[in-house]
Amino acid sequence: MNIVQRMKAPTPKFFRVLRNIGLVLAAAGGALLAAPIALPAAVITVAGYITVAGGVMTAVSQTAVDGEADNSTPNGSP
């Protein structure tokens, strides 16, 4: 299964919830980083980490596939 097929395959419910949480974290971190007011350096640092963690969580959750949906194997190999 290549990456395009994996991204199009159905995602289990747990990973859909995890993906949505990752999107919210990434959006919140991005909003803090783009805030028009001066924030303490610690808040900016934490916002950067939250943004990266949310992005990684979203990407990993999107590539998880339902085991029953993965019936095809490349080149007929087990």
Side-chain angles (χ1 to χ4, degrees):
M1 173 179 278
N2 64 23
I3 191 71
V4 174
Q5 291 171 335
R6 183 173 284 277
M7 295 296 267
K8 289 182 179 179
T11 304
K13 183 176 182 346
F14 172 74
F15 287 103
R16 284 188 302 224
V17 171
L18 206 58
R19 180 189 60 204
N20 291 339
I21 291 170
L23 287 171
V24 168
L25 285 175
L32 285 173
L33 288 173
I37 58 173
L39 295 172
V43 172
I44 298 298
T45 302
V46 170
Y49 289 133
I50 288 174
T51 303
V52 171
V56 169
M57 188 184 308
T58 301
V60 170
S61 297
Q62 183 63 40
T63 58
V65 294
D66 198 5
E68 291 84 34
D70 184 22
N71 296 342
S72 64
T73 56
N75 301 327
S77 60

